[in-house]
Amino acid sequence: MLHAHQRIAIPPETRFLLPVYESRCGFGDLREPANRRELARWIVDAKETKFTDLGLDADQVVDEVVAGPPTVGSALGIVFRAYARRFGRARWGDKRPSYFRRLDVLLRMFPDAQIVHLVRDGRDCVASLKEMPWFHMGTFHAISTWNEAIDAGRRAAQRLGPAAYYELGYERLVADPQTELTRLCGFLGEDYDPAMTEPHHMAKVAVPAHKKWHARTYGSVGTDRVGSWAQRLEPWEIALCESVMGSRLTDKGYERTGVPRPSATDVARYLRVAAHRRLAARKCAALDQIRRRREPNPVASYIAESTYADA
């Protein structure tokens, strides 16, 4: 929907933004052009990234990064700027659901970014995650992912305020796209573009055909998947969701069915998974603090300030 706006470009999930940040110390002093070239070549050549999905000339992007400011934020911004230029757009953004875990990192690189958080019924999210070919972690991790995202959103809303953080509900969006997208454009400081309500036209150009799990983007916006968790989840999964998601569901306006409580075994398994994930997140944060002390350069982007949004 955002990519259908005449001034905004949002690429498919790139998978190189956070890896570049985490590897920043390994690229050396970016004031050296050779090091900027090494960084750029990793972005465009590494198998781990999805650069080829962007439809850009790799050598041209490398040359632009080499000629750009010596920070990882600038290098990444140059790639996204090139993608926006491909569509004749003035602004760019990036999307990946896991970004909620690293908002502090995103804002280090892009200090004036606007964060858009799309919230969906946690039970539908769990059902959707379980069906993704790239998700192999099971129900307990899927539930924990949603809980973590909601908690992260609450913290971001308090810390960033309404100028930098915007939250909208999936169910309201698909039921009344024009109203919700008009409000979103107001947050972004853009005029509403009616093309946003028909994103399937842009999907044919911007969504890689090999991403079969995005096939629904080729169709019209609809509400048929709202509440489909009732048919897609097992009874024990519904019980566990409603128990451990708890007030997070009701606070976001989602009604619980009142199913019997989950088994103690299932609750205990979920709590172990959630505790393990919290520990992993703390370790990640601690490692990042260590790396910050060894950074050879600033990380903030010095290009095209106020022209990006993260979703």
Side-chain angles (χ1 to χ4, degrees), residues 1-8 89 181-182 185 190-198:
M1 288 176 168
L2 284 171
H3 189 58
H5 192 286
Q6 61 183 342
R7 282 180 39 84
I8 302 172
R89 308 293 171 77
L181 291 170
T182 298
C185 286
E190 298 288 346
D191 293 331
Y192 167 71
D193 186 341
M196 301 172 75
T197 63
E198 298 184 329

Side-chain angles (χ1 to χ4, degrees), residues 5 35 37 39 59 65-66 105 125 138 150 154 156 164 171 191 216 295 302 305:
H5 192 286
N35 292 339
R37 183 172 297 278
L39 165 59
D59 291 336
V65 171
V66 173
V105 166
C125 286
I150 297 301
R154 288 173 175 170
E171 293 78 12
D191 293 331
R216 295 178 62 82
E295 289 174 347
Y302 293 155
E305 299 295 348

Side-chain angles (χ1 to χ4, degrees), residues 14-15 41-52:
T14 57
R15 300 200 177 188
R41 292 260 44 125
W42 186 89
I43 292 174
V44 304
D45 292 337
K47 293 181 179 179
E48 300 93 324
T49 78
K50 300 297 180 181
F51 178 83
T52 55

Side-chain angles (χ1 to χ4, degrees), residues 143-157:
I143 294 174
S144 190
T145 297
W146 189 83
N147 280 345
E148 292 162 12
I150 297 301
D151 293 343
R154 288 173 175 170
R155 293 191 296 269

